[in-house]
Amino acid sequence: MKLISWNVNGLRACVGKGFLDYFKEIDADIFCIQESKLQDGQIQLELDGYYQYWNYAKRKGYSGTAVFTKHEPLSVSYGVGDAEEENEGRIITLEYKDFYLVNVYTPNSKRDLTRLADRLVWEDKLRDYLIELDKLKPVIYCGDLNVAHQEIDLKNARSNVGNSGFTDEEREKMTKLLESGFIDSFRHLYPEQSDSYTWWSYMNKVRDRNIGWRIDYFITSKRLAPYIKDAQIHSHVMGSDHCPVMLEIDINNG
């Protein structure tokens, strides 16, 4: 099974920059997006053969997630019960026979770190949620998680220590999650691979010079590790300041 996750940074703009070409070419079983920046009825996507599930933010032009899947889930849920999470459209969970898929757009702690405290509370709630799901069946957790976990995951680690997305607190929350029975699929397969990034600033020539951060992930339950076939970063795909990431895994989607 092939899964894709992509922060599209505004789906309507991304569609105008080739989103559908990539979508058709990659032919994923499940395609997750973050930061759709849409309200209900603002776009009509004709995606033949796919079920569509959307979580819209209440605030216009902000946040939002969606999942497009060839395989109808047993159930779909939104958020983890917190009103703010629902208002920002950040979480969609699809239940299948043999696993849960959780698509997430993690809140940014902001440049001045004014949202860091809220972000850390979010991380604890989400980790508890994933652990509870994992007790029932394995979890595939993906999305823009807004953290570069290790120094290898961003170009200029030393100069970014303490900055949003690379604070000790955010990195420790990722470590704690992984210590709770989960793995970072890309690092599981490619522990030493550097210069592999999923987000680049829009500043001049930054992407051309590959000065980036790896902040988009597929995290899975540790017991799924033997079934992971590949984890890729499609940095050649344009249309957003993020690029898509892919997971190939042998798992039953029935």
Side-chain angles (χ1 to χ4, degrees), residues 37-242:
K37 297 184 177 179
L38 287 169
Q39 315 306 127
D40 190 12
Q42 287 190 313
I43 196 170
Q44 294 295 325
L45 285 183
E46 299 297 329
L47 306 176
D48 291 343
Y50 286 85
Y51 299 92
Q52 300 187 27
Y53 302 97
W54 299 81
N55 196 3
Y56 304 105
K58 301 292 185 185
R59 177 177 159 190
K60 292 183 178 180
Y62 179 74
S63 189
T65 50
V67 179
F68 313 129
T69 173
K70 293 181 179 180
H71 311 284
E72 186 174 12
L74 300 175
S75 66
V76 182
S77 59
Y78 302 89
V80 293
D82 182 278
E84 183 177 354
E85 290 163 13
E86 296 289 355
N87 286 342
E88 294 191 353
R90 292 185 179 274
I91 305 176
I92 304 177
T93 301
L94 274 59
E95 178 186 4
Y96 288 98
K97 177 177 177 291
D98 290 333
F99 68 99
Y100 288 100
L101 172 80
V102 184
N103 176 32
V104 170
Y105 177 38
T106 299
N108 191 303
S109 56
K110 294 193 175 181
R111 182 179 294 272
D112 60 1
L113 302 182
T114 53
R115 205 175 184 185
L116 179 60
D118 292 339
R119 161 72 180 269
L120 300 179
V121 171
W122 157 283
E123 295 283 1
D124 288 339
K125 287 183 178 180
L126 187 63
R127 185 181 66 255
D128 289 346
Y129 176 65
L130 295 173
I131 289 171
E132 289 304 308
L133 291 181
D134 188 54
K135 291 176 181 177
L136 302 174
K137 59 185 79 174
V139 173
I140 299 173
Y141 162 46
C142 70
D144 173 2
L145 306 189
N146 261 319
V147 60
H149 183 217
Q150 301 172 331
E151 290 188 0
I152 196 174
D153 294 318
L154 72 168
K155 188 69 170 182
N156 297 315
R158 185 173 300 177
S159 63
N160 278 293
V161 170
N163 287 344
S164 174
F166 200 59
T167 62
D168 290 344
E169 295 90 339
E170 291 164 310
R171 297 170 65 195
E172 286 166 4
K173 292 298 184 184
M174 174 64 85
T175 297
K176 191 171 181 180
L177 172 65
L178 297 178
E179 290 174 346
S180 301
F182 297 90
I183 59 171
D184 172 351
S185 61
F186 183 80
R187 282 286 166 240
H188 172 70
L189 294 181
Y190 309 109
E192 305 298 330
Q193 186 166 313
S194 60
D195 298 320
S196 298
Y197 308 126
T198 66
W199 174 81
W200 303 263
S201 166
Y202 277 131
M203 292 171 61
N204 191 36
K205 303 289 186 180
V206 165
R207 188 161 184 173
D208 291 345
R209 293 181 286 152
N210 197 27
I211 302 173
W213 297 47
R214 190 176 73 94
I215 60 175
D216 302 84
Y217 297 79
F218 273 100
I219 306 289
T220 76
S221 297
K222 194 170 185 178
R223 62 189 184 276
L224 290 179
Y227 307 101
I228 294 174
K229 300 303 176 185
D230 201 3
Q232 297 180 7
I233 295 173
H234 292 175
S235 55
H236 64 284
V237 177
M238 310 303 283
S240 169
D241 52 347
H242 295 248

